[in-house]
C-alpha cells in the first residue's frame, strides 16, 4: 500500500514510537480497538447470564465397580458401601445392613432388601420372614450361628418396603459380586425374584425355583422368598423340596 507520508515524516513517527518503547511491529495497519469494542454484540438486557460449566456426571454403576474392586476384605467392603453416596436409599435408611452369619460358610443366602426390623437392627432377616428362614435352614441342619452366611441385594431399606428399582439393583450389584467373591461360599441360595434379577438376569421365581443355575462362577439355586411363604403357606411344600435339593447338593460337594 502506498504511504501518504513522506520519508522524513514517517521516519520521525517511527523514532517517536521507538522512544515510547515499541520494539516490534505487530500488523501492517493500526487497529482501533475502541471501534472494535463498539461493534461487538452486546448481551440483550434481561438475558440469562451464561450457565456455569456443568460438573462432570458420575456413573453410579462405574463408581460402585471401582469402590467394590478396591475392597480387599469384607470389612473394607462394608466401609466402601458405607461411603457410597450414589444410592438415594442410603439417605432414608437408619442402618447399612451388610451381613449376618459366618463368613466362609459353604452356603451363602442372598435376600432382597432390608425391611423395618432389619433397618433397625442393621442385620438381614431378623423379622418374621427371617424367623421362618431360620426354621427352614434348621430343618436341613443349617444355621446362621454355625454354617450359613447371609446378605441382601440392597443394603438399605427401600421406603415403605417398595420393590427395589432396576437402577438401585444395578448400582449395588458390583458390591454384591465382590461380597460373594470375598465370602467364598460353595453354593448360593437366591431368595425371591430380586436376587434372581440381580444375579441371573432373570425373573419368574415360580419357574426358576429349585433349578440349579450358575452365577459368578458358583452353583446357585433360587427359592421362594420366606416372606412369600408367610403369605402363601401352601407353597411351603415346594420350598421343602428345594431345601432337600440343597441338602443333597451339599452332601455331594466336598
Ligand atoms: N427380606 C429380605 O429379603 N431380606 C431381609 O433382610 C429381610 C426381609
Amino acid at each position: 500500500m502506498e504511504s501518504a507520508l513522506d520519508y522524513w515524516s514517517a521516519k520521525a513517527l517511527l523514532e517517536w514510537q521507538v522512544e515510547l518503547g515499541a520494539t516490534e511491529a505487530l500488523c501492517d495497519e493500526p487497529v482501533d480497538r475502541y471501534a472494535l469494542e463498539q461493534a461487538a454484540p452486546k448481551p440483550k438486557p434481561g438475558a440469562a447470564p451464561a450457565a456455569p460449566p456443568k460438573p462432570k456426571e458420575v456413573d453410579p454403576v462405574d463408581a460402585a465397580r471401582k469402590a467394590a474392586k478396591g475392597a480387599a476384605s469384607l470389612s473394607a467392603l462394608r466401609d466402601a458401601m458405607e461411603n457410597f453416596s450414589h444410592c438415594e436409599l442410603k439417605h432414608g435408611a437408619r442402618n447399612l445392613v451388610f451381613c449376618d452369619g459366618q463368613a466362609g460358610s459353604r452356603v451363602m443366602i442372598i435376600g432382597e432388601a432390608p425391611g423395618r426390623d432389619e433397618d433397625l437392627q442393621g442385620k438381614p432377616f431378623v423379622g418374621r420372614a427371617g424367623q421362618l428362614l431360620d426354621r427352614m435352614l434348621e430343618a436341613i441342619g443349617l444355621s446362621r450361628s454355625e454354617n450359613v452366611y447371609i446378605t441382601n441385594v440392597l443394603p438399605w431399606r427401600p421406603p415403605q418396603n417398595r420393590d427395589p428399582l432396576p437402577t438401585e439393583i444395578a448400582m449395588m450389584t458390583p458390591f454384591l459380586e465382590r461380597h460373594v467373591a470375598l465370602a467364598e461360599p460353595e453354593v448360593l441360595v437366591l431368595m425371591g425374584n430380586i436376587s434372581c434379577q440381580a444375579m441371573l438376569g432373570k425373573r419368574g421365581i415360580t419357574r426358576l425355583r429349585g433349578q440349579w443355575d450358575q452365577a459368578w462362577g458358583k452353583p446357585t439355586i433360587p427359592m421362594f422368598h420366606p416372606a412369600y411363604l408367610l403369605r402363601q403357606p401352601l407353597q411351603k411344600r415346594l420350598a421343602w423340596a428345594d431345601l432337600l435339593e440343597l441338602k443333597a447338593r451339599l452332601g455331594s460337594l466336598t
Side-chain angles (χ1 to χ4, degrees):
M1 194 177 90
E2 202 163 303
S3 171
L5 294 172
D6 63 35
Y7 170 80
W8 296 108
S9 309
K11 186 164 180 284
L13 272 176
L14 186 60
E15 281 166 0
W16 178 65
Q17 287 186 38
V18 169
E19 220 167 282
L20 287 177
T23 54
E24 58 186 315
L26 294 180
C27 11
D28 290 339
E29 299 270 330
V31 178
D32 182 349
R33 301 205 180 267
Y34 291 106
L36 280 182
E37 218 168 78
Q38 275 171 9
K42 298 236 169 10
K44 290 201 184 99
K54 271 194 188 167
K56 232 176 134 199
E57 267 183 31
V58 177
D59 173 0
V61 179
D62 209 36
R65 271 196 211 112
K66 285 192 189 118
K69 198 171 160 206
S73 64
L74 289 168
S75 70
L77 183 67
R78 180 199 285 260
D79 291 346
M81 290 167 76
E82 290 274 18
N83 292 328
F84 186 73
S85 57
H86 301 288
C87 185
E88 275 301 309
L89 295 177
K90 174 182 180 171
H91 308 294
R94 281 189 177 81
N95 280 301
L96 174 101
V97 175
F98 184 68
C99 72
D100 197 17
Q102 312 305 313
S105 295
R106 297 178 68 197
V107 178
M108 181 165 177
I109 294 183
I110 320 274
E112 297 185 351
R116 183 177 168 277
D117 298 309
E118 290 77 19
D119 181 45
L120 285 170
Q121 294 188 39
K123 274 190 193 175
F125 283 105
V126 291
R128 277 185 69 224
Q131 288 155 21
L132 175 57
L133 174 65
D134 285 344
R135 291 199 298 278
M136 290 162 66
L137 295 173
E138 198 186 337
I140 54 166
L142 297 174
S143 85
R144 65 174 98 192
S145 59
E146 274 175 67
N147 46 16
V148 169
Y149 187 62
I150 307 179
T151 192
N152 282 314
V153 173
L154 294 187
W156 295 292
R157 181 192 184 193
Q160 274 83 48
N161 298 343
R162 66 152 168 76
D163 270 358
L165 304 174
T167 49
E168 292 161 350
I169 297 174
M171 76 176 82
M172 297 316 293
T173 300
F175 291 110
L176 180 61
E177 184 168 2
R178 188 82 188 122
H179 204 156
V180 170
L182 290 167
E184 295 185 316
E186 278 175 30
V187 299
L188 298 166
V189 179
L190 309 187
M191 291 298 185
N193 265 324
I194 301 296
S195 16
C196 291
Q197 184 181 331
M199 302 189 57
L200 303 174
K202 300 174 192 169
R203 283 182 80 105
I205 190 66
T206 308
R207 191 173 30 88
L208 297 172
R209 57 145 282 276
Q211 309 292 319
W212 286 99
D213 207 325
Q214 284 276 320
W216 303 330
K218 309 266 180 204
T220 298
I221 188 164
M223 284 190 194
F224 283 137
H225 194 287
Y228 171 76
L229 295 174
L230 286 173
R231 297 191 301 272
Q232 303 286 337
L234 282 182
Q235 303 288 34
K236 283 184 185 166
R237 60 196 170 87
L238 294 177
W240 177 236
D242 299 344
L243 287 168
L244 291 178
E245 176 59 37
L246 172 64
K247 189 176 179 210
R249 180 83 182 217
L250 290 172
S252 72
L253 293 171
T254 50

